[in-house]
Amino acid sequence: MRYLIILITLTLSIGAIAQDIPVYSGKFNAIDRLLEPPSPYRTASGAPGEDYWQQRADYKIKASIDENTNELVGEETITYFNNSPHDLKFLWLNIEQNVNRKGNEDFGDVMGGVKDSISSLQMQYLVRPIDFPAGTDIQWIRDANGKDLDYIVNNTLLRINLPQPLMSGQNITFSIKWKNYITDRAKFLLSREGYEYFPEDDNKVFLLGHWFPRMAVYNDTEGWQNKQFRRLGEFALEFGDYEVELTVPEDHIVAGTGVLTNESEVLSKVQRERMEKARQSFEGQLFIVTPDEARSNEAAKSTDTKTWKFSAKNVRDVAFASSRKFIWDAMAVKLPTNTVMAMSFYPKEGLPVWTEESTNGVKQALEVYSEATFDYPYPVAISVNTSNIGMEFPMISFNGGRPVNGQISEQARRGMTSTIIHEVGHNWFPMIVSSDERKWMWMDEGLNTFLHQRTLAERYPQWSSTQPKDIIPFMMGDQKTLRPVMTNSDNDLLFQMGANFYQKPTVGLQMLRQTIVGKELFDIAFKEYANRWKYKHPNPSDFFRTLEDGTATDLDWFFKGWFFTTETVDIDLAEVKWFQLKEEQATVENKQQKGNTKRISGSGKSASANDFSDGPQPFTLTPTSDGSYGQFLSRLDESKMRDQLSGKHIYELTFENKGGLVMPVIIEWTYADGTKEMQQLPAEIWRLNEAKVTKTFLKEKEVASIAIDPNQQLPDINMTNNVFPRKEQTDKFEEMKDE
């Protein structure tokens, strides 16, 4: 009964202020209900569980290119290991080339639809009036004994109906023969593979990605990942070992995933000697095929063929590029646990900038990403030049950016180098930390862009890199059309995709590292995530939980707001009060800045006065009554308190959350003597009131002005309400907009 009386007393005592308590929206509630629950496969800490499993597929592939018909014919043998606890009655494989067949989504309407004037290329995107062969033709599928297996093609997916279930713990070997129609990349929007034609010398560069039937993922949280490929949501694949034989015209140079195992058969003696020197060249690249040699190759087209053989271990895919136009340079990159050959392949149209930037860009990415996560484990990292693309595969990437008549602007040079770094970086996310791109694009694009921008900032300081303020225009967009980051890849609007899946997660991680958690703890936790899930299949919950596990920081409020909503950051310095104790009167002065009723955009109420010029006004500092101490017998030394307050300044600041996202509050105090002080309040100050918070500060010196987040560590969408005096901030914000 005694405790009930106390509770009733407390309830009555706060009743008078109850009307000021806002409706609680639960921004600081746990996000458990938004994530799949922990299981023996995935723990509550974000690590793989003791019963975690994943499937595996090994491939032996033989394929050939006919450059006259633009066809690739291939035959593969797949050994698929069922490591799941389930028996499988059928298998699903990806055949993404079928997306290029007429009738599939090609996003032509994003070009604006039919107008009174429309280019032929736009019309081709819209309705493909000029049709051409595309896609994959399956010729047969047979078991290890040569017996035909029943199968069904469903657009970009292939289902194999097994004559008897593949039991848990068993494996199956089967073979597929197929043909791909290699398409002209210029005829597709968002084309990642095909050939690029060069009319001047009548040659092609073949870029072959997702070019063979590949096993779909089967996992513990989804079963079969058998979502159709619609160009945006990319690939979810199993790891395995590959042995690949590629037959191409004899004068072609081939760049491919893996180690070239028959150098003596496909490279000249001079080329092999150059490769040996390049393997010891750590300071700069050497030519394996020189520009002059590449020009000679262009002139004479061989009718004979040559077979290049590659071996790749523990990768989830293989890709290759083939052309007689290729210049080839290479250098060695020494990492703490591995030496990697960084290489570039490019036509003469890439000169001179590709020689200057490409292989060096590969090196910079290898070093920064390895330091941030784990050492790059593969033997090669390759950058191939093409047009209008940036596309990643294990150990090899296809990257756009070229000079015009040998000249390139600094902006274009930055864009080209940035693309190379980004696509090489995808070796970590998702080629090794193998998240599901088809479902959660942000898990690979966002995490990769975060490290890609870090590489630019650290290794190319002369160029700009993404900062939190860069996401402001996107976050200020129409809330009716904005999607949260936690949107499936194919469900986002095409024009929002870059901001939502690349830039916004990048800014979120930058804020965690630089402002919310701090570099030391964040870097440890981020590296822990990468190492926990390398060669495995993480989900968003595994990432969120690992960051919390590794930092001992409750970040549910951040993940919920930043990833699951489209709310904005807009912290309004709504009110400023100034207090000062005057010894002779034994009072506390108070000056609440009022009187100026001019409305400020974004404030939502009357603004405070423009400055502190009127000075403080007195309030009485009264002794504490004995009753306020309850049963405590000790008392405050009120004389000492007056001494501590003597000549000092008390400022009471009221912050209003106008945007919805709770964030730390970063305060810059500028004092009357011109000195400055930075102070940061944690996001937890919003726990009891998510809309409005008042904090009181004791300062030795008189304050001249106050600025909230002046360096824009947070993407505050309205800087006009961030500073007192208010007019000073309005002027500063206008200057910033002009810049």
Side-chain angles (χ1 to χ4, degrees):
M1 178 63 71
R2 171 180 165 190
Y3 295 103
L4 180 59
I5 292 172
I6 294 174
L7 179 61
I8 292 172
T9 303
L10 289 173
T11 303
L12 291 174
S13 67
I14 65 173
I17 60 171
Q19 65 270 20
D20 295 326
I21 298 177
V23 175
Y24 183 64
S25 63
K27 296 183 186 298
F28 286 92
N29 283 350
I31 61 171
D32 295 357
R33 66 180 182 83
L34 300 176
L35 309 175
E36 70 260 17
S39 71
Y41 312 123
R42 299 167 190 269
T43 68
S45 68
E50 60 182 11
D51 294 334
Y52 177 82
W53 55 267
Q54 68 186 43
Q55 311 291 65
R56 179 181 178 86
D58 293 339
Y59 298 77
K60 293 183 178 180
I61 306 173
K62 294 182 179 180
S64 61
I65 289 178
D66 185 329
E67 67 175 339
N68 295 316
T69 62
N70 299 319
E71 292 178 351
L72 180 148
V73 176
E75 186 174 332
E76 65 182 332
T77 298
I78 302 174
T79 301
Y80 181 68
F81 298 84
N82 182 13
N83 298 322
S84 79
H86 314 127
D87 301 334
L88 303 177
K89 296 181 179 180
F90 51 85
L91 308 176
W92 281 105
L93 290 82
N94 294 290
I95 45 173
E96 289 99 342
Q97 289 290 339
N98 281 355
V99 77
N100 291 329
R101 286 181 165 159
K102 189 171 182 178
N104 272 294
E105 295 176 75
D106 60 9
F107 301 101
D109 291 315
V110 304
M111 305 298 290
V114 179
K115 305 173 183 176
D116 57 359
S117 177
I118 183 170
S119 73
S120 57
L121 184 60
Q122 287 176 313
M123 183 57 73
Q124 182 70 13
Y125 288 159
L126 280 172
V127 295
R128 198 189 295 188
I130 301 176
D131 201 11
F132 43 82
T136 299
D137 289 341
I138 303 297
Q139 299 183 355
W140 49 254
I141 303 178
R142 296 171 182 164
D143 67 15
N145 298 317
K147 184 178 179 179
D148 287 342
L149 292 174
D150 181 49
Y151 65 90
I152 302 171
V153 173
N154 178 13
N155 197 12
T156 64
L157 291 161
L158 168 67
R159 172 175 163 143
I160 299 177
N161 300 311
L162 301 177
Q164 56 272 335
L166 177 60
M167 307 301 286
S168 173
Q170 294 185 347
N171 63 73
I172 185 174
T173 298
F174 58 95
S175 299
I176 304 176
K177 186 172 183 180
W178 81 98
K179 178 170 69 174
N180 280 345
Y181 300 96
I182 308 173
T183 53
D184 184 345
R185 289 189 48 246
K187 297 177 181 177
F188 286 99
L189 193 63
L190 296 177
S191 175
R192 294 169 173 81
E193 76 299 316
Y195 67 83
E196 180 179 3
Y197 180 61
F198 293 80
E200 181 183 6
D201 50 71
D202 188 32
N203 276 300
K204 299 167 186 170
V205 170
F206 290 93
L207 304 174
L208 277 300
H210 44 86
W211 53 281
F212 60 98
R214 302 167 301 167
M215 295 303 306
V217 166
Y218 182 81
N219 66 23
D220 59 286
T221 55
E222 189 172 11
W224 285 107
Q225 166 46 287
N226 52 8
K227 296 181 183 298
Q228 296 287 345
F229 177 50
R230 293 187 170 88
R231 296 192 191 275
L232 289 183
E234 290 176 352
F235 317 113
L237 301 165
E238 301 287 11
F239 288 95
D241 294 342
Y242 287 77
E243 300 295 330
V244 181
E245 297 184 13
L246 303 169
T247 300
V248 299
E250 186 180 37
D251 50 2
H252 273 215
I253 296 294
V254 177
T257 298
V259 175
L260 179 62
T261 60
N262 66 332
E263 279 191 5
S264 61
E265 298 174 12
V266 296
L267 300 184
S268 69
K269 180 181 178 181
V270 171
Q271 290 168 342
R272 295 197 303 273
E273 291 173 349
R274 291 169 178 170
M275 276 299 301
E276 284 303 313
K277 291 181 180 179
R279 291 186 177 105
Q280 305 302 318
S281 175
F282 294 94
E283 301 302 322
Q285 74 266 34
L286 301 176
F287 284 115
I288 312 303
V289 176
T290 69
D292 287 341
E293 291 166 345
R295 287 187 175 93
S296 296
N297 285 346
E298 287 182 344
K301 299 179 176 62
S302 175
T303 57
D304 294 330
T305 62
K306 185 187 295 184
T307 299
W308 295 60
K309 299 179 181 180
F310 294 90
S311 176
K313 304 296 183 183
N314 207 22
V315 294
R316 58 177 233 166
D317 197 4
V318 293
F320 71 96
S322 181
S323 179
R324 64 177 54 86
K325 290 177 64 66
F326 280 150
I327 302 163
W328 176 6
D329 69 48
M331 70 178 295
V333 178
K334 183 66 176 176
L335 301 175
T337 61
N338 193 22
T339 297
V340 184
M341 288 304 296
M343 300 192 287
S344 296
F345 296 74
Y346 45 96
K348 67 179 185 300
E349 287 76 10
L351 293 172
V353 67
W354 266 74
T355 303
E356 297 164 353
E357 299 290 356
S358 179
T359 301
N360 181 61
V362 175
K363 176 181 184 290
Q364 305 309 320
L366 290 174
E367 292 177 345
V368 175
Y369 278 73
S370 293
E371 180 184 359
T373 56
F374 49 79
D375 281 359
Y376 183 81
Y378 297 131
V380 299
I382 299 170
S383 170
V384 181
N385 178 236
T386 184
S387 179
N388 296 18
I389 194 177
M391 189 59 210
E392 71 279 2
F393 303 93
M395 304 189 221
I396 188 170
S397 57
F398 306 152
N399 304 309
R402 287 183 186 141
V404 177
N405 298 322
Q407 302 296 316
I408 190 167
S409 68
E410 193 67 8
Q411 181 179 0
R413 181 185 293 267
R414 178 203 176 278
M416 183 203 78
T417 305
S418 183
T419 297
I420 293 168
I421 291 169
H422 181 91
E423 304 306 336
V424 171
H426 271 305
N427 277 283
W428 282 265
F429 307 100
M431 298 304 160
I432 299 174
V433 183
S434 184
S435 56
D436 183 351
E437 295 180 82
R438 195 151 297 173
K439 194 171 185 180
W440 304 115
M441 188 185 295
W442 71 267
M443 284 196 73
D444 71 284
E445 296 296 355
L447 273 60
N448 179 44
T449 303
F450 166 65
L451 289 183
H452 148 215
Q453 294 299 319
R454 178 172 162 182
T455 305
L456 285 179
E458 293 181 5
R459 300 301 176 92
Y460 298 89
Q462 72 274 24
W463 291 334
S464 62
S465 56
T466 294
Q467 301 176 44
K469 66 180 181 180
D470 295 331
I471 198 65
I472 290 175
F474 171 70
M475 297 187 73
M476 292 179 67
D478 186 353
Q479 288 288 318
K480 295 178 182 178
T481 61
L482 290 183
R483 271 91 160 145
V485 174
M486 285 293 290
T487 296
N488 287 165
S489 304
D490 289 308
N491 296 342
D492 202 7
L493 299 175
L494 184 60
F495 66 87
Q496 292 184 4
M497 182 184 71
N500 213 23
F501 292 150
Y502 293 67
Q503 196 177 35
K504 190 176 178 184
T506 293
V507 168
L509 297 180
Q510 288 176 336
M511 290 190 295
L512 288 175
R513 184 174 190 251
Q514 298 166 7
T515 304
I516 298 169
V517 173
K519 290 183 180 180
E520 184 177 13
L521 276 175
F522 177 86
D523 287 352
I524 291 172
F526 191 83
K527 180 173 287 193
E528 180 69 20
Y529 166 74
N531 281 275
R532 279 179 175 180
W533 290 97
K534 64 181 178 181
Y535 306 117
K536 296 181 176 68
H537 300 312
N539 291 331
S541 58
D542 303 312
F543 178 64
F544 296 148
R545 287 169 173 152
T546 295
L547 288 190
E548 290 193 320
D549 184 52
T551 63
T553 306
D554 179 5
L555 296 172
D556 282 13
W557 61 270
F558 180 80
F559 298 141
K560 181 187 295 184
W562 194 256
F563 288 89
F564 288 89
T565 79
T566 60
E567 293 179 331
T568 61
V569 181
D570 182 7
I571 298 174
D572 179 6
L573 179 55
E575 197 168 42
V576 176
K577 296 180 182 180
W578 177 20
F579 300 80
Q580 187 179 42
L581 178 70
K582 286 193 175 180
E583 299 176 31
E584 67 276 14
Q585 296 178 349
T587 61
V588 173
E589 293 187 353
N590 169 60
K591 172 60 179 176
Q592 181 174 1
Q593 306 301 319
K594 292 183 176 179
N596 184 347
T597 59
K598 178 183 178 183
R599 294 183 64 81
I600 302 294
S601 176
S603 172
K605 59 175 285 182
S606 294
S608 50
N610 287 332
D611 53 43
F612 293 109
S613 59
D614 290 343
Q617 294 180 355
F619 269 67
T620 302
L621 179 65
T622 60
T624 304
S625 67
D626 289 341
S628 297
Y629 290 100
Q631 294 184 332
F632 290 110
L633 300 179
S634 61
R635 298 292 184 267
L636 287 172
D637 185 338
E638 299 204 12
S639 175
K640 184 177 181 180
M641 177 177 286
R642 294 182 190 280
D643 290 342
Q644 292 296 321
L645 294 175
S646 177
K648 298 179 182 178
H649 306 264
I650 298 173
Y651 294 92
E652 186 179 272
L653 276 53
T654 297
F655 310 103
E656 293 186 1
N657 180 3
K658 300 290 190 181
L661 284 181
V662 291
M663 283 287 165
V665 178
I666 304 166
I667 308 170
E668 180 188 69
W669 303 89
T670 300
Y671 297 105
D673 64 3
T675 60
K676 295 178 182 289
E677 177 192 7
M678 297 299 297
Q679 188 170 2
Q680 181 169 318
L681 308 178
E684 284 74 11
I685 66 170
W686 303 97
R687 279 188 178 276
L688 300 182
N689 190 330
E690 298 167 357
K692 185 177 181 180
V693 172
T694 297
K695 301 294 289 185
T696 305
F697 306 86
L698 177 64
K699 298 296 180 182
E700 297 279 346
K701 297 184 288 187
E702 181 177 339
V703 172
S705 65
I706 304 166
I708 306 303
D709 191 22
N711 299 320
Q712 293 189 281
Q713 293 173 240
L714 307 172
D716 195 312
I717 66 169
N718 181 12
M719 298 295 289
T720 63
N721 59 15
N722 280 36
V723 162
F724 182 87
R726 198 66 123 198
K727 185 177 186 301
E728 176 183 320
Q729 173 59 13
T730 303
D731 294 342
K732 185 184 295 186
F733 185 63
E734 292 301 324
E735 291 174 6
M736 185 183 70
K737 287 197 301 182
D738 292 340
E739 293 174 1

